[in-house]
Amino acid sequence: MKIIISPAKKMNIDTDTLACRSIPVFLDETKELLVWMRRLTFGQAKELWKCNDKIAEQNYRRFQEMDLERNLTPAVIAYEGIQYQYMAPAVFGGAQTDYIQEHLCILSGFYGVLKPFDGVTPYRLEMQAKASEAGDLYKFWGDKLYREVTREEQGAGSLIVNLASKEYSKCVEKYLAPEDTYLTIVFGELEDGKVKQKGTFAKMARGEMVRYLAENNVQEPEGIKGFDRLGYCFDEALSGEREYVFLKNLKKVQPTDGETV
């Protein structure tokens, strides 16, 4: 079983909390993208990132000074987004740490596919970025992300648990084989008879789900159904073989950030 999740925009350097165990499998491709990024002017980079001057200046400097092989942080603690905060990998025990290293795949526009303890450096490059010289990043990576996620089970059919956003999950979905089992986890609320996902709550739940799977050493889909954190419970009636729906207690406070999921 492999679990796919998205990266986060905000990143940090932490070489003390946890040690790196491996290097990214697609480091050569990352080096290609780094060369291309360094050729951009500040204005071109800012347009690519669609961010304010402060964030653009920080990330433009990062790419100009970037070293892909030194002063690295394990990917799972390098990302600072809500999902990673609720996963809280820094306080995992040894068994949980081994579980995520074996089962968790972080999809990335810059690194392709990361294991949790691959060493990375802070960057900003989303999968949906319209990169002209390197081409569209979906085309740049092609089926490489899918093949890496399913590499250990090729030919036998893979079980993929999707906890990623649409921007990243489609890097894998597009190439699924008939024998694969692809299970999307939905965290939502019923509104006018329809399941609606709210960005902040969904990200929180995705992180908690990874923690739950690791703490319970879940290896099969049936084990996922027991998740009952943050007010969510599995809804058998709304779920199917390809989608597990978890509904939140509607009395909880609604998020207002308008984030997409």
Side-chain angles (χ1 to χ4, degrees):
M1 184 175 83
K2 294 295 183 182
I3 307 156
I4 59 173
I5 63 173
S6 305
K9 291 181 181 179
K10 189 176 180 181
M11 299 184 70
N12 73 94
I13 296 174
D14 181 349
T15 58
D16 298 322
T17 301
L18 296 171
C20 298
R21 296 187 183 183
S22 47
I23 60 172
V25 66
F26 294 121
L27 193 57
D28 288 342
E29 287 84 349
T30 300
K31 290 177 179 178
E32 289 182 41
L33 290 173
L34 175 57
V35 169
W36 175 74
M37 288 296 298
R38 284 176 169 168
R39 291 176 183 160
L40 298 181
T41 65
F42 176 78
Q44 290 171 326
K46 183 182 176 184
E47 174 62 25
L48 183 72
W49 294 322
K50 300 187 185 304
C51 61
N52 61 39
D53 285 343
K54 182 178 180 180
I55 294 175
E57 289 167 1
Q58 178 191 48
N59 286 283
Y60 190 75
R61 182 175 65 253
R62 279 175 170 173
F63 275 109
Q64 298 305 316
E65 300 172 352
M66 188 174 289
D67 188 332
L68 296 173
E69 298 177 4
R70 294 179 178 83
N71 197 30
L72 304 178
T73 301
V76 75
I77 61 170
Y79 295 110
E80 289 189 330
I82 295 171
Q83 176 178 227
Y84 293 85
Q85 293 171 24
Y86 276 78
M87 191 191 312
V91 294
F92 273 162
Q96 291 80 37
T97 296
D98 291 342
Y99 179 93
I100 62 170
Q101 181 69 356
E102 178 182 354
H103 296 283
L104 190 64
C105 298
I106 303 170
L107 307 182
S108 163
F110 189 53
Y111 282 102
V113 178
L114 292 165
K115 291 183 177 180
F117 294 94
D118 282 352
V120 301
T121 192
Y123 69 92
R124 187 183 180 97
L125 188 62
E126 298 172 57
M127 188 64 73
Q128 62 187 1
K130 301 298 182 182
S132 56
E133 184 179 330
D136 181 284
L137 287 178
Y138 292 108
K139 294 180 180 178
F140 176 84
W141 289 110
D143 67 349
K144 289 181 178 180
L145 278 64
Y146 165 77
R147 287 193 287 109
E148 177 60 24
V149 169
T150 60
R151 176 174 51 83
E152 297 175 5
E153 297 175 305
Q154 282 184 351
S158 300
L159 169 58
I160 303 169
V161 177
N162 174 28
L163 289 171
S165 65
K166 293 178 181 178
E167 175 186 354
Y168 288 91
S169 61
K170 68 181 184 180
C171 300
V172 172
E173 289 176 358
K174 183 178 179 180
Y175 302 100
L176 291 171
E179 62 269 21
D180 293 330
T181 299
Y182 186 74
L183 180 59
T184 295
I185 309 300
V186 175
F187 298 101
E189 300 166 5
L190 272 182
E191 295 183 3
D192 299 324
K194 296 182 179 180
V195 178
K196 301 289 186 181
Q197 291 198 83
K198 304 294 177 71
T200 298
F201 284 160
K203 291 175 182 178
M204 291 162 57
R206 287 167 181 162
E208 281 281 1
M209 175 62 86
V210 174
R211 168 167 282 278
Y212 171 84
L213 298 176
E215 289 176 347
N216 292 279
N217 191 30
V218 174
Q219 303 288 337
E220 300 294 338
E222 192 65 27
I224 299 172
K225 297 178 180 179
F227 178 83
D228 60 356
R229 302 180 181 181
L230 300 180
Y232 286 100
C233 289
F234 178 70
D235 192 296
E236 187 81 44
L238 293 174
S239 301
E241 292 183 0
R242 300 288 179 170
E243 183 175 88
Y244 280 5
V245 176
F246 291 81
L247 292 184
K248 189 175 183 65
N249 185 335
L250 294 181
K251 294 181 180 180
K252 300 291 184 179
V253 176
Q254 304 298 310
T256 58
D257 63 0
E259 293 186 41
T260 58
V261 294

